[in-house]
Amino acid sequence: MSESRRPHAGRRLLITGTALAVLGVLTAAGALWSVLSSYTVVTARRAMEPTYHEGDRVMVERLSGEDVRRGDVVLYGVPDRYHGLAVLQRVIGLGGDRVVFADGTLTINGTPADEPYVKEAYPGFGTAPYDVKVPAGRMFLLGDNRGNSNDSRYFLSEDSGTVPTAAVQGRALKSSGAPVKLGLAVVFGVLVTLGGGICVLAGRRPRRSGYGR
């Protein structure tokens, strides 16, 4: 390459490197912001066994109670329970549902609940019968470990044990695919930024004015 072309090559490296660095920073920052704003990680307690064992780290997607569906495992907190701490429990009934437990069987709107997630398939352990009509905008929740879960059954004198859907902070993810993809995007952004930085350094490197000097 002739000497006259070297400055042009350096400028191209500077432009390319700067563009890559900016793209990488934006990609990494955007993905990181999405992870931090959309997800959180909580520690499971014994009340959710066998779905989650005590000490398990559970990825939770942040969302409002309006997006909750029956059967979801949600993270929620109310000031007058559990010392105001957020807990993981499963949504059994939503506004308008009738949740009944009698003769060892849990029914929702008259249909026996299909609960393969309940520990030892014995949902009636230590439970007195109850009949709850869930008010609008509220939900009835139980732990999967029915023999060791301080859930809606133990607050029946307070709004039939229900809590407002507005108390929901997030929903446990069944798959960590989305957070993993975002994490990979962060790594990709960092690598692109480093590549851009290398190009910028190469473009700024002083070049000798001649071959023999």
Side-chain angles (χ1 to χ4, degrees), residues 93-115:
L94 292 168
D97 288 338
R98 185 181 180 188
V99 181
V100 178
F101 178 77
D103 300 323
T105 300
L106 179 70
T107 62
I108 303 171
N109 300 324
T111 301
D114 181 18
E115 298 188 293

Side-chain angles (χ1 to χ4, degrees), residues 65-74 91-92 94 171:
E66 297 177 355
D67 299 317
V68 169
R69 299 292 179 264
R70 192 187 305 126
D72 287 345
V73 175
V74 299
V91 178
I92 302 300
L94 292 168
R171 175 173 56 200

